[in-house]
Amino acid sequence: MTMKITAEWERRCAALWAAFEDCDAAEFRSKMRTLADELPEGHTVAAFELASAYDATDLGERAVPLYRQALDDGLDGERRRQAVVQLASTLRALGHPQASADMLLAERGKTSDHLDGVVTAFLALAFVDLGREREAAALALGALSHHLPCYNNSLARYAAAVADPIPKG
């Protein structure tokens, strides 16, 4: 379900997240539930924010179906990409690194924006869990190369070589 959310609701949601460290887990989830309940039943943003609240308070198993619901029901914008990353991260943490890697690889092919480094970082974590440490290091170094004040091209080339080393003859 897509529906415009008011700026005031967004402000209160952001304020709740800003106060995350000041709440215990149950209190935070309760406050998020109250906020989400202000939106129509089945609203994609409500599902995403609830999933995020469960996830942030170490209840990943409860977050997964809500992330899936939000994505399946058409969550859009930046929250969609965040939901993909968060769902993939939670799946990895729950012992499903291949599902995580598959989601993140697909996401890398869908779009490009300011969250590209986030997608890549979490993909690198999934690769580590899959025993693909060289590829993980290459991804991390490649992502880092975009943020250096110099040697960007050199680091990017070296990162590619880490992932695909020349066979020793």
Side-chain angles (χ1 to χ4, degrees):
M1 166 183 294
T2 56
M3 173 197 115
K4 288 284 186 186
I5 296 174
T6 66
E8 191 268 338
W9 189 94
E10 290 284 14
R11 183 198 56 75
R12 289 185 295 127
C13 186
L16 179 56
W17 280 108
F20 176 77
E21 298 295 331
D22 300 329
C23 298
D24 74 8
E27 176 187 12
F28 182 80
R29 288 190 304 268
S30 175
K31 288 180 177 185
M32 185 58 74
R33 168 59 72 187
T34 299
L35 192 59
D37 283 347
E38 294 177 18
L39 300 177
E41 186 175 333
H43 197 286
T44 59
V45 172
F48 168 74
E49 294 296 345
L50 282 173
S52 299
Y54 284 128
D55 212 359
T57 58
D58 298 324
L59 295 176
E61 299 89 357
R62 293 185 68 183
V64 168
L66 289 167
Y67 284 136
R68 291 190 191 282
Q69 175 189 338
L71 290 166
D72 290 347
D73 290 349
L75 184 66
D76 60 4
E78 187 170 319
R79 280 186 170 113
R80 186 206 63 80
R81 200 152 202 222
Q82 290 175 328
V84 170
V85 169
Q86 290 171 209
L87 173 56
S89 176
T90 301
L91 290 171
R92 184 191 68 79
L94 293 173
H96 307 286
Q98 187 62 59
S100 175
D102 292 345
M103 286 186 73
L104 294 167
L105 285 166
E107 184 62 25
R108 287 179 86 203
K110 283 185 183 171
T111 189
S112 181
D113 62 17
H114 69 283
L115 295 176
D116 288 352
V118 175
V119 173
T120 299
F122 282 89
L123 178 58
L125 288 170
F127 278 2
V128 168
D129 286 0
L130 291 168
R132 296 168 63 178
E133 292 87 356
R134 287 188 71 87
E135 290 169 274
L139 284 171
L141 290 168
L144 178 62
S145 74
H146 300 291
H147 304 283
L148 300 179
C150 54
Y151 304 108
N152 310 73
N153 292 334
S154 295
L155 183 57
R157 282 192 309 275
Y158 290 141
V162 166
D164 190 24
I166 298 171
K168 294 180 176 129

